[in-house]
Amino acid sequence: MKKQRAFLKWAGGKYGLVEDIQRHLPEARKLVEPFVGAGSVFLNTDYDQYLLADINPDLINLYNLLKENPQEYISEAKRWFCPENNRKEAYLDVRAQFNATDDVMYRSLAFLYMNRFGFNGLCRYNKKGGFNVPFGSYKKPYFPEAELEFFAEKAKKATFVCEGYNETFKRARKGSVVYCDPPYAPLSTTANFTSYAGNGFSLDDQAALADVAERAAVERGIPVLISNHDTTLTRRLYHGAELNVVKVKRTISRNGAGRNKVDELLALFRPADSE
């Protein structure tokens, strides 16, 4: 099966890990994702149904619009990908309008545009909720038409909701499997770990998520797979789970300051009766 790319660029996207994740996800009728992000796992798995959640309303509104009016959304979005929009002034103008409006169609179109024309595909908001990613100055941003079409088609099997992970866990039923891709734990306790989608995901949140996951498996018979950095902290948090280490390809640069990636941990909380 050909691997499908998400139509959004996404920090921490799971495209490179989907085979490992597929291998460790138990069979089920339905996949529940409390942290859907750009949706790489959704796009590269085959369940009858999906419940996909995120706390970012712009993301979920865009997904619902694409699901309900794919033709209209895709043709409108395509018009934004033109040379005159690939200028800093144009980008800042769109960003300002985006921050000033509640119009879902405008925000959803601007969200994709800013994702592709903005710096590194980042998604970041300030304390007041204003999108604040700077202009990216790329030569020719790619319009992900095929990726949008594939997502829209697959979205027919999905329900998208904007809510926190606790609410999503409450909706999960036996016969489902839950996959969690939370904001990753810091590699060191001093690592700058404050901002995520405008509301920090703290160490307490990491611990609370591990607890909710374990309870879903033990008390309700719903298996839960969580991905995170492989650190002393995460191993301690997921001590009740089956732990699998995924070796991440390391890119080593000559000055030693290159992207030394840390290994990933896939923690599977299994129901007692499935041992």
Side-chain angles (χ1 to χ4, degrees):
M1 210 175 101
K2 178 180 171 288
K3 248 169 94 173
Q4 296 293 337
R5 278 198 179 276
F7 66 85
L8 292 167
K9 294 181 181 180
W10 207 252
K14 285 294 162 287
Y15 182 77
L17 278 185
V18 289
E19 292 90 348
D20 294 294
I21 292 167
Q22 283 166 345
R23 229 184 7 260
H24 291 105
L25 272 173
E27 284 187 11
R29 282 195 333 276
K30 186 176 197 170
L31 177 67
V32 177
E33 287 196 63
F35 306 88
V36 67
S40 287
V41 173
F42 155 61
L43 294 168
N44 290 288
T45 49
D46 191 21
Y47 291 87
D48 296 341
Q49 289 178 301
Y50 293 86
L51 172 62
L52 306 172
D54 202 280
I55 51 163
N56 183 335
D58 290 314
L59 189 67
I60 297 301
N61 285 338
L62 162 47
Y63 289 167
N64 275 320
L65 226 144
L66 185 57
K67 176 185 171 176
E68 285 146 27
N69 294 319
Q71 263 47 61
E72 184 193 1
Y73 180 82
I74 294 168
S75 61
E76 284 293 316
K78 195 172 188 172
R79 293 179 20 210
W80 291 51
F81 283 66
C82 58
E84 51 270 30
N85 276 349
N86 196 17
R87 303 188 337 272
K88 188 178 178 181
E89 306 72 46
Y91 175 87
L92 294 177
D93 185 46
V94 167
R95 195 178 75 179
Q97 288 187 63
F98 173 89
N99 286 333
T101 185
D102 294 327
D103 183 81
V104 169
M105 185 61 156
Y106 184 87
R107 284 183 73 95
S108 297
L109 292 163
F111 191 82
L112 174 61
Y113 162 80
M114 293 188 300
N115 177 264
R116 289 280 168 179
F117 288 71
F119 181 71
N120 265 358
L122 291 175
C123 178
R124 206 181 57 199
Y125 301 82
N126 62 24
K127 292 266 193 302
K128 292 185 181 144
F131 193 84
N132 64 358
V133 175
F135 180 59
S137 44
Y138 299 109
K139 208 165 168 184
K140 190 179 184 220
Y142 169 69
F143 180 63
E145 187 157 12
E147 291 85 343
L148 283 160
E149 284 168 354
F150 185 88
F151 191 103
E153 184 55 37
K154 182 126 194 197
K156 292 174 180 170
K157 293 176 158 190
T159 301
F160 299 100
V161 289
C162 182
E163 63 188 19
Y165 69 85
N166 270 311
E167 285 74 33
T168 313
F169 264 94
K170 282 179 193 146
R171 292 181 196 243
R173 296 285 173 266
K174 216 169 165 166
S176 305
V177 58
V178 179
Y179 168 61
C180 291
D181 178 27
Y184 275 18
L187 293 176
S188 71
T189 34
T190 53
N192 175 3
F193 198 64
T194 48
S195 59
Y196 182 76
N199 66 337
F201 200 84
S202 66
L203 296 179
D204 288 346
D205 291 316
Q206 297 283 354
L209 174 63
D211 192 44
V212 167
E214 189 161 16
R215 285 212 311 270
V218 174
E219 295 168 15
R220 300 167 60 209
I222 301 167
V224 182
L225 183 68
I226 305 183
S227 50
N228 214 318
H229 286 315
D230 183 7
T231 66
T232 313
L233 171 82
T234 54
R235 284 178 171 261
R236 203 169 286 162
L237 290 179
Y238 307 142
H239 64 85
E242 252 171 57
L243 300 180
N244 288 285
V245 177
V246 179
K247 288 281 173 206
V248 173
K249 286 191 189 69
R250 292 171 190 280
T251 44
I252 296 180
S253 76
R254 300 206 335 246
N255 63 11
R259 302 186 170 184
N260 273 349
K261 292 208 167 152
V262 100
D263 290 330
E264 304 255 347
L265 201 57
L266 289 176
L268 177 62
F269 291 96
R270 280 186 191 275
D273 55 10
S274 70
E275 294 301 309

